[in-house]
Amino acid sequence: TNDYGNPYYYKRNGTDDLAGTYVEVDLTKQHLWYYKDGSLLLESDLVSGDLSKNQGTMTGIFPVAYKESPSTLVGANYSTKVQYWMPFYEGEGLHDAWWRTAFGGEIYKTNGSNGCLNLPSNVAQSIYENIDAGVPIVIYYEPGTEPADSTYASDSTTMADNAAAAG
């Protein structure tokens, strides 16, 4: 990684560090936007990690490691089949959550995931069909809305600090 903790492989195109293709996740709004080649491809509500169980989704910038369809997600107390799996950080990833009937709002505070970003099936499918390994996932809380437990932040810098440093 470079001095700012970011992987060296991020491309520069003179306009932004993400070369116009990335997934932006606002954990405060429980919403994501997927930009491909500089254009908004889709946006959707989501459900992130359950704060009441200390399983909040990690913040930071992470590349999609790979994608797999179908996949079985296995944890200490669960085994769940999903159709679209796109991991980005130590077992956390984007995937369809076919068992959920609602997304967004404050669901994540008491009935969230184990850290993954749960998506409606059609949204997960569209992202899966249009994303490649290495595409950055930018995950953040809006300033002043971060959980009190600092373990939800991947480091002590803020997204604004990272953006300013990348300059």
Side-chain angles (χ1 to χ4, degrees):
T1 61
N2 63 21
D3 292 340
Y4 306 108
N6 297 318
Y8 284 114
Y9 69 84
Y10 284 140
K11 302 172 193 166
R12 285 195 67 96
N13 64 5
T15 305
D16 63 61
D17 285 344
L18 304 175
T21 300
Y22 60 96
V23 176
E24 179 178 348
V25 178
D26 183 331
L27 295 174
T28 304
K29 291 182 177 157
Q30 293 289 285
H31 199 81
L32 72 70
W33 299 263
Y34 179 30
Y35 294 92
K36 187 168 184 180
D37 299 324
S39 297
L40 179 64
L41 183 68
L42 64 83
E43 64 178 289
S44 176
D45 285 339
L46 58 88
V47 176
S48 66
D50 193 323
L51 296 183
S52 71
K53 295 178 182 172
N54 200 29
Q55 295 178 323
T57 302
M58 186 60 70
T59 58
I61 303 173
F62 312 101
V64 172
Y66 61 91
K67 55 187 198 174
E68 185 173 78
S69 177
S71 186
T72 300
L73 309 180
V74 179
N77 58 358
Y78 66 90
S79 177
T80 305
K81 292 183 180 189
V82 297
Q83 192 63 40
Y84 306 104
W85 171 234
M86 298 153 278
F88 55 78
Y89 176 82
E90 294 186 4
E92 294 181 12
L94 301 158
H95 66 79
D96 54 306
W98 49 266
W99 57 91
R100 290 195 182 274
T101 58
F103 297 86
E106 297 190 352
I107 298 167
Y108 74 107
K109 291 183 177 180
T110 57
N111 190 25
S113 72
N114 290 306
C116 287
L117 299 175
N118 289 183
L119 299 168
S121 293
N122 65 321
V123 172
Q125 178 181 1
S126 185
I127 293 173
Y128 187 90
E129 291 172 349
N130 289 283
I131 203 165
D132 294 312
V135 169
I137 313 292
V138 180
I139 306 170
Y140 61 90
Y141 284 97
E142 293 178 9
T145 67
E146 303 91 343
D149 184 338
S150 63
T151 61
Y152 297 117
S154 59
D155 60 37
S156 61
T157 61
T158 66
M159 296 300 289
D161 293 335
N162 287 339

